[in-house]
Amino acid sequence: MSKVLAALSVSVDGFITGRGPGPGRGLGDGGVLFDWYFDGDTPSQVFDGFKLSEPSARVFDALAERDGVSLAGRNTYDDSGWDEGGAPHPTAPLVVLSHRPAPAIHDRQTFTTTIEDAITVAKDQAGGKDVGLMGGGVVTEALKAGLVDELVLHQVPVLLGAGRRFFDELPEHIALEIVEVVPAPGVTHLHYRVIR
């Protein structure tokens, strides 16, 4: 059965981008959040070109192999330049949550307007695999709707001071259970299960 999870790189002060993210600028000045993808000597078995530390490769590849669909918000979509038909995962299709129309129609992309519809469509396309959430707004909306099963914070030891946050304001507490904590060079992988 498909699970819904978010596994994002995040600064210690809770940002998933730096200052000035946007189309053509990606994460703004927050690129340091992804240095751990390339500062090791263990190639990813899922993503070409990624060379991680051994503990990071183990965590990263285990999560990436679970993804059947990526679900991103419109800011993440635009900032990442996927309007030409791209997607964040090499094999998984992309569902986009947006109130603005798709810039074009692409085989690997589906646009939806509510988080409930987005999760339903993503699970249908996932083929029994998991749905990977991307973007703070999408994660927050899915948490509010009670649709998230797991959270993974790839916490990078940096204070960015500004940018887009991993979590927006939530209406109530959400309890988490620690699944695993994996320290690695340049990042600590914090894996939680959402308690419902």
Side-chain angles (χ1 to χ4, degrees), residues 15-183:
F15 293 102
I16 56 174
T17 75
R19 291 171 182 82
R25 296 186 309 277
L27 298 174
D29 68 357
V32 66
L33 293 175
F34 294 100
D35 287 351
W36 63 276
Y37 284 2
F38 308 105
D39 63 3
D41 55 8
T42 305
S44 169
Q45 300 301 304
V46 181
F47 280 71
D48 290 338
F50 284 30
K51 292 190 80 174
L52 308 101
S53 68
E54 186 282 324
S56 287
R58 180 177 56 81
V59 170
F60 180 83
D61 282 350
L63 290 166
E65 287 171 353
R66 291 173 54 181
D67 273 353
V69 171
S70 298
L71 195 167
R74 187 59 184 261
N75 285 334
T76 301
Y77 175 85
D78 289 340
D79 294 354
S80 300
W82 294 325
D83 56 334
E84 297 294 323
H89 193 281
T91 59
L94 175 64
V95 174
V96 182
L97 177 61
S98 177
H99 294 289
R100 290 177 278 146
I105 303 301
H106 300 286
D107 291 345
R108 288 185 65 199
Q109 297 179 354
T110 304
F111 276 66
T112 61
T113 57
T114 70
I115 192 63
E116 293 82 5
D117 288 346
I119 297 288
T120 299
V121 168
K123 283 185 172 183
D124 287 346
Q125 292 182 9
K129 293 182 114 181
D130 293 338
V131 175
L133 303 178
M134 301 184 68
V138 163
V139 173
T140 300
E141 289 306 306
L143 283 167
K144 286 178 182 177
L147 298 172
V148 179
D149 299 299
E150 299 176 28
L151 294 169
V152 179
L153 284 68
H154 302 296
Q155 191 177 63
V156 177
V158 64
L159 299 168
L160 291 179
R164 292 195 185 121
R165 293 202 171 274
F166 196 142
F167 305 103
D168 293 330
E169 189 171 315
L170 294 165
E172 59 189 27
H173 292 188
I174 296 175
L176 305 174
E177 175 186 354
I178 297 172
V179 174
E180 183 179 38
V181 176
V182 178

